[in-house]
Amino acid sequence: MKQLSTVFEKNKTSFGTKYKIKQTYSLHITTKCAILFMEIFYMERRERFMQEKINLAVIGGGASGLIAAITASKICKHTKKIIIFEGASRVGKKLLATGNGRCNLTNIHASAKHYYGDTRLIEAILRTYPPQRVIQYFEEIGLLCKEESEGRIYPYSLQASSVLDVLRFNAEEMQVEIICDCPIHSVRSKNGIFILENHHQKTFIADKVILATGGKASPQLGSVGNGYTLAKQLGHTVTPLYPALTILKTPPEYVKSLKGMRSHVTATLKCNGKAIRHEKGEVQFTEQGLSGICMFQFSRHVAHCIANKQKITILLDFMPEYSVSSIVNQLNRAVNLFPHLPATEILKGFMNKKVGEAIVKTAVPQSKEMLAKQFTKTDFMVIANAVKQFSYPCVGVADWKQAQVTAGGVSLSQLNSSLESKIHKGLYFSGELLNIDGDCGGYNLNWAWISGITAGKAAAKSLCHKDKARITTT
């Protein structure tokens, strides 16, 4: 257009009296070119939108996203275009790491008391999909399960890869398309549809969207927290986020000499001097602090308390079956048997050698230079009390890389019972992205499955209802 006007300018003197006519003609051509250019631009844009028209876009190819897409496709009987957008190079990377590679699918004891966050709002979902129904669902799609200790349910193969394979096979059979290496950076709602944009600014449109991106825990496995950004873009509230099911950090001097040691304990979590939770199990000493399932159960509470500048203390009872007085009696007996034993080794017959030595050295500092026969009655009482309530100050939790789940997330108060947004009709949420986290033992994966099924079912029924309404009107 610009070139056409330039050519006319250069030759306008040769037109003589016809200059005004030629100038008008040039301007007319220029205007027509501009209109044509705009029409082509918008036509190409419309065609690109139409090429990427999706009935249901599932953002996130983890446990919850996969089962949501499969559930939706089953209900729609393969008649809808359903696409999973996964930011990582493959789906289910975090799923492969769960349960130490064995994949603790669910727990037969799953109930609201094992969850935290907006628990009141998920009671109906937990009742609708009890653990037995989750197990049945997996058996129906080709996965055999088995129960192990404490109600934990695993694939019969004891391999997480079996779970992922069955999910992938079903997605393929249900004609669910999976696009990997395609993180979605933007979601907008406009005129009843959703406009998605990926990292290359490629645009997709969808009738319905399920946000199943996961949380921030284990970013090395693909959970980078982008779902919270998308939720906020769409007007949803995100509560404070904390690493959960992770190591509790203590001052190094408390655990340095015990790195690699393990002991069975009863543990008490104190916040500002008040006991708020008790756990039994194995504690593992690391260079960072305290690990093991019983410590993981404390982590979400620790993170929250420390964020609110509250003092945290962990008390460990290394001999929960014995009272203080019975431990004193055992110490007396040990001294009578081994009076010339180095004093720091007096607990050798009771517990882990290094743990016992650390307790004695802390309780009776001068014991490093003593023999067992030099202990006093007061020393015995001090040691016995330390065995029953050895105190560790807690200064925080490990970072997101070492966390298994995220505490906090998208508020369920802005969703209905089908996990559909009250702000944007046709937008659903599932999994770790929501303000729900559970205890260790299969509870978090259980939530991933049942929230994914709930969202997938609701989205599919909405799509089918839309079709019926269209048929009725025609």
Side-chain angles (χ1 to χ4, degrees):
M1 294 179 286
K2 188 175 180 181
Q3 288 178 340
L4 184 61
S5 298
T6 303
V7 170
F8 178 77
E9 285 294 326
K10 287 181 179 179
N11 295 282
K12 65 181 180 180
T13 52
S14 62
F15 285 95
T17 56
K18 296 181 180 180
Y19 168 73
K20 288 183 180 180
I21 296 172
K22 295 291 183 181
Q23 186 181 43
T24 303
Y25 181 67
S26 174
L27 291 172
H28 178 64
I29 292 174
T30 302
T31 304
K32 287 189 70 175
C33 286
I35 293 170
L36 181 62
F37 174 82
M38 294 302 292
E39 285 179 348
I40 292 171
F41 173 80
Y42 283 112
M43 183 173 68
E44 287 178 346
R45 192 171 176 83
R46 282 195 301 271
E47 285 177 352
R48 188 174 67 204
F49 277 138
M50 292 305 293
Q51 288 169 359
E52 304 297 344
K53 184 67 173 6
I54 304 162
N55 297 118
L56 174 60
V58 179
I59 304 176
S64 198
L66 284 165
I67 207 163
I70 291 167
T71 301
S73 188
K74 284 174 70 175
I75 292 171
C76 293
K77 303 186 187 308
H78 316 174
T79 61
K80 301 298 179 184
K81 186 172 184 179
I82 299 174
I83 297 181
I84 295 173
F85 294 95
E86 170 57 45
S89 58
R90 60 178 297 183
V91 295
K93 288 180 73 174
K94 189 174 179 180
L95 185 60
L96 291 174
T98 60
N100 292 320
R102 301 198 310 161
C103 192
N104 187 181
L105 288 164
T106 182
N107 194 299
I108 61 170
H109 303 302
S111 65
K113 72 178 183 179
H114 289 287
Y115 292 94
Y116 310 94
D118 295 326
T119 53
R120 185 179 59 83
L121 302 174
I122 67 166
E123 290 178 356
I125 296 175
L126 288 166
R127 286 194 299 269
T128 303
Y129 298 103
Q132 293 78 6
R133 194 166 175 187
V134 173
I135 295 167
Q136 182 185 0
Y137 186 104
F138 275 104
E139 289 180 346
E140 288 173 354
I141 66 171
L143 185 76
L144 192 61
C145 302
K146 66 184 296 186
E147 180 183 341
E148 293 204 346
S149 63
E150 299 180 327
R152 292 180 172 90
I153 304 298
Y154 292 91
Y156 195 82
S157 67
L158 296 179
Q159 291 183 307
S161 58
S162 296
V163 182
L164 182 56
D165 285 342
V166 165
L167 291 170
R168 288 193 302 104
F169 296 159
N170 276 272
E172 184 178 346
E173 191 67 25
M174 298 292 171
Q175 298 173 23
V176 173
E177 185 179 349
I178 298 175
I179 303 177
C180 293
D181 292 314
C182 187
I184 299 299
H185 283 191
S186 170
V187 179
R188 292 180 290 121
S189 175
K190 186 176 182 181
N191 299 327
I193 62 169
F194 294 92
I195 303 169
L196 287 63
E197 192 173 283
N198 72 0
H199 59 312
H200 291 310
Q201 296 185 325
K202 184 175 182 180
T203 306
F204 309 85
I205 61 169
D207 294 319
K208 312 286 179 185
V209 169
I210 297 176
L211 286 181
T213 58
K216 292 183 69 176
S218 304
Q220 68 275 21
L221 298 176
S223 298
V224 295
N226 63 309
Y228 302 115
T229 302
L230 300 179
K232 289 177 181 178
Q233 286 175 1
L234 293 158
H236 280 267
T237 300
V238 177
T239 69
L241 306 173
Y242 308 109
L245 299 189
T246 188
I247 295 170
L248 306 185
K249 297 172 76 173
T250 65
E253 61 270 20
Y254 280 80
V255 292
K256 187 176 181 181
S257 65
L258 299 177
K259 180 182 176 182
M261 299 298 103
R262 299 166 182 250
S263 292
H264 284 276
V265 301
T266 293
T268 301
L269 173 63
K270 281 192 168 185
C271 179
N272 281 350
K274 181 181 178 181
I276 61 173
R277 182 155 182 171
H278 304 276
E279 287 289 338
K280 290 183 179 181
E282 185 180 72
V283 64
Q284 301 169 26
F285 296 90
T286 75
E287 59 185 11
Q288 287 182 285
L290 305 174
S291 185
I293 291 175
C294 60
M295 296 297 104
F296 290 172
Q297 307 288 43
F298 288 164
S299 57
R300 65 126 31 232
H301 307 287
V302 169
H304 180 267
C305 290
I306 287 180
N308 288 283
K309 303 188 183 307
Q310 295 171 310
K311 183 182 178 181
I312 294 292
T313 305
I314 308 296
L315 298 180
L316 300 184
D317 180 352
F318 289 96
M319 295 178 67
E321 299 86 0
Y322 290 82
S323 65
V324 170
S325 60
S326 62
I327 294 173
V328 169
N329 291 335
Q330 293 297 329
L331 288 169
N332 267 309
R333 181 180 298 174
V335 168
N336 290 331
L337 287 170
F338 312 109
H340 298 97
L341 189 73
T344 56
E345 298 181 21
I346 197 65
L347 292 175
K348 263 189 176 180
F350 303 171
M351 62 181 65
N352 178 285
K353 174 184 174 180
K354 285 192 174 182
V355 173
E357 288 180 357
I359 291 173
V360 175
K361 288 176 182 178
T362 303
V364 184
Q366 66 271 27
S367 62
K368 299 173 189 176
E369 310 298 330
M370 292 168 51
L371 295 177
K373 65 181 182 179
Q374 295 175 280
F375 277 128
T376 66
K377 290 182 179 180
T378 301
D379 291 337
F380 285 157
M381 284 297 297
V382 173
I383 292 171
N385 278 294
V387 168
K388 295 295 290 179
Q389 288 194 339
F390 201 81
S391 178
Y392 291 88
C394 186
V395 296
V397 297
D399 61 19
W400 289 107
K401 283 186 178 181
Q402 297 179 73
Q404 294 182 32
V405 297
T406 305
V410 175
S411 174
L412 272 84
S413 64
Q414 296 173 318
L415 311 181
N416 64 22
S417 58
S418 297
L419 302 180
E420 181 179 19
S421 169
K422 293 178 182 178
I423 301 172
H424 301 288
K425 189 173 177 60
L427 172 66
Y428 303 82
F429 294 80
S430 72
E432 191 179 336
L433 181 64
L434 293 164
N435 182 27
I436 292 291
D437 62 288
D439 286 331
C440 197
Y443 300 102
N444 288 288
L445 262 185
N446 182 72
W447 171 244
W449 306 131
I450 65 177
S451 61
I453 293 169
T454 300
K457 183 178 180 180
K461 286 189 172 182
S462 180
L463 286 169
C464 294
H465 178 75
K466 189 176 179 181
D467 285 347
K468 287 180 182 179
R470 190 183 295 116
I471 293 168
T472 303
T473 55
T474 56

